[in-house]
Amino acid sequence: MAQVDPARSRIRDRKGGLELELALSQGVPYRIFTLQDPRRVVLDFREVDWSGVQAATLVRSDLVASAAMGGVRPGWSRLVLTLTAPLALQRAALTIDPESGAAVLRARFMRVGDAAFAAAAGAAPDPGWALPAATSGDSRAASSTSEAGVLRILLDPGHGGLDPGAMRDGVTESRLMLSYARTLREALVRAGAEVAMTREDDSFVSLERRVEMAHAMDADLFISLHADALAGGGARGTTVHTLSKTASDEASRKLAERHDRGDILAGVDLSHSDDVVADVLMDLARMETQPRSEALADAVVAALRSAGLPLNSRPRRAAGYSVLKAADIPSILIEVGFLSSDRDRANLVTPEFRARLAGAVRDAVLAWQLADEAEAPLRRQ
Ligand SMILES: [Zn+2]
């Protein structure tokens, strides 16, 4: 894996444009492209280790509003620069020192007009570089061999890779949710469920891809797991969220927005907006699914309460979470606690606490399944 040498790397203004110089311990394949809404420059690399690189010291330019870097999928890493002005790649070259094997990537970007930027924006359609594609309909058929009555659950540890989520006192949401998801998976599998996860390691998975995975495995349930931080205020305890067009409160609206921003920072192309017809069909499907999602969320709150686990004073919330938009699969998002709360953070880093929490969520899922099966004959097929 190539290491970035922060001391010899810089991104700065030069002659009215932007100049990038990255010193790497060895040469690696790379590509550079731009994205629209918001305007970004994306640099992908094979196997680059960004640890020790601080965005604030790397980037010294008014043309860059923010920078994010890190893993985007196993074996690939990414640097995303959010721009304050439209830029186009003028030239790029990777030179390798024949003696040491060390490499320097130099790239220059020039100012262009809005139309020129829009015309050039978009990831190159090279399958070798693409983010994992949507699984085709075939896998749905292949996976429909599950026994009747066996719940198929997709657990979604929030964030990952380039998008670490909340960070407080050395605790990172993406890593913490991965270990909690593993504990919850074990509890659910022991209870007879079939469980998959949207990610098995610290890699980035887009929100859209997470929803696609739920469809591909023909999931009965989708449970997204988070432990975000809220600035100010003393938010603490578990909250359980469902999808809603209007947010139940300002904090939930901001959480949903922040999760979408993670995708933008990670360089996901969000420029293809949903078409209107599809939206109407989705709304119809959601009319069936929504009460089942609400019932699951209520069951989680009830199970945590009866287990004596710390709940938020307003534990049931709703907002426009993109990851909950699978129209035909009951989906909830559990904020297991807030990393901004000292008490919650201390609880969540304890394996025993995570195990108790997993036990309560498992109980909720089993209780929900019983009630849901009883109501199934009443639902339209
Ligand atoms: Zn989160």
Side-chain angles (χ1 to χ4, degrees):
M1 193 178 257
Q3 308 283 323
V4 178
D5 180 351
R8 297 194 301 122
S9 301
R10 63 188 64 87
I11 297 170
R12 60 183 172 184
D13 294 341
R14 194 75 190 264
K15 292 175 189 161
L18 184 71
E19 200 169 77
L20 171 143
E21 206 171 302
L22 268 187
L24 302 164
S25 58
Q26 64 189 75
V28 290
Y30 71 97
R31 70 167 182 174
I32 302 174
F33 60 94
T34 49
L35 289 177
Q36 191 67 286
D37 303 320
R39 294 185 188 116
R40 287 154 289 166
V41 165
V42 180
L43 293 95
D44 282 337
F45 303 89
R46 181 103 214 183
E47 307 276 4
V48 165
D49 179 6
W50 290 96
S51 54
V53 183
Q54 301 285 332
T57 47
L58 179 66
V59 183
R60 296 279 167 78
S61 168
D62 293 337
L63 294 168
V64 178
S66 67
M69 57 205 72
V72 72
R73 55 182 289 199
W76 300 96
S77 60
R78 177 171 279 193
L79 168 66
V80 184
L81 306 174
T82 306
L83 304 175
T84 57
L87 296 178
L89 181 65
Q90 198 174 358
R91 57 172 180 267
L94 183 86
T95 50
I96 300 174
D97 184 317
E99 297 284 302
S100 64
V104 180
L105 173 66
R106 287 188 186 85
R108 199 185 140 71
F109 301 85
M110 59 180 184
R111 297 285 292 262
V112 291
D114 292 344
F117 184 89
D126 178 344
W129 287 94
L131 290 173
T135 322
S136 72
D138 296 351
S139 61
R140 181 184 269 253
S143 63
S144 65
T145 51
S146 175
E147 292 166 53
V150 174
L151 263 192
R152 234 186 233 149
I153 303 169
L154 183 59
L155 294 181
D156 173 44
H159 310 277
L162 197 80
D163 167 26
M167 291 188 278
R168 282 290 190 287
D169 263 15
V171 183
T172 304
E173 184 184 0
S174 59
R175 297 214 185 100
L176 186 64
M177 288 306 97
L178 187 58
S179 42
Y180 175 60
R182 289 188 181 126
T183 308
L184 180 54
R185 172 173 62 183
E186 196 176 318
L188 289 166
V189 166
R190 280 171 192 269
E194 199 180 292
V195 184
M197 292 180 16
T198 51
R199 62 184 179 93
E200 296 277 354
D201 53 23
D202 188 26
S203 55
F204 174 82
V205 184
S206 72
L207 298 177
E208 189 186 5
R209 172 81 185 122
R210 294 171 199 243
V211 177
E212 285 168 359
M213 288 167 88
H215 285 129
M217 76 175 273
D218 208 2
D220 297 307
L221 280 183
F222 178 89
I223 303 177
S224 191
L225 302 165
H226 287 259
D228 284 275
L230 281 182
R236 58 185 205 160
T238 304
T239 50
V240 187
H241 302 246
T242 47
L243 181 68
S244 163
K245 273 185 180 154
T246 50
S248 60
D249 57 290
E250 185 60 12
S252 302
R253 190 188 64 76
K254 280 190 178 150
L255 277 176
E257 202 180 270
R258 193 181 313 156
H259 289 159
D260 285 355
R261 205 155 59 227
D263 268 23
I264 290 172
L265 285 178
V268 175
D269 190 354
L270 298 178
S271 58
H272 319 285
S273 51
D274 301 340
D275 74 58
V276 180
V277 180
D279 253 14
V280 172
L281 292 173
M282 300 269 273
D283 284 349
L284 282 172
R286 279 194 199 112
M287 282 167 64
E288 307 261 315
T289 313
Q290 192 64 18
R292 301 175 66 210
S293 301
E294 307 276 348
L296 176 63
D298 291 342
V300 171
V301 170
L304 263 69
R305 186 166 279 140
S306 70
L309 287 159
L311 278 168
N312 187 265
S313 53
R314 289 191 43 236
R316 279 283 284 109
R317 312 235 181 165
Y321 296 97
S322 295
V323 82
L324 300 182
K325 287 182 179 168
D328 50 351
I329 300 166
S331 303
I332 61 169
L333 184 148
I334 307 177
E335 291 277 354
V336 295
F338 291 97
L339 286 191
S340 41
S341 149
D342 291 344
R343 184 203 65 183
D344 285 2
R345 204 171 56 244
N347 279 340
L348 289 169
V349 298
T350 315
E352 293 74 25
F353 181 86
R354 293 201 298 267
R356 282 181 63 207
L357 200 60
V361 174
R362 172 207 55 211
D363 292 349
V365 167
L366 295 177
W368 173 87
Q369 185 185 16
L370 278 178
D372 192 68
E373 278 169 2
E375 289 199 0
L378 305 175
R379 277 197 295 272
R380 266 196 300 132
Q381 288 301 309

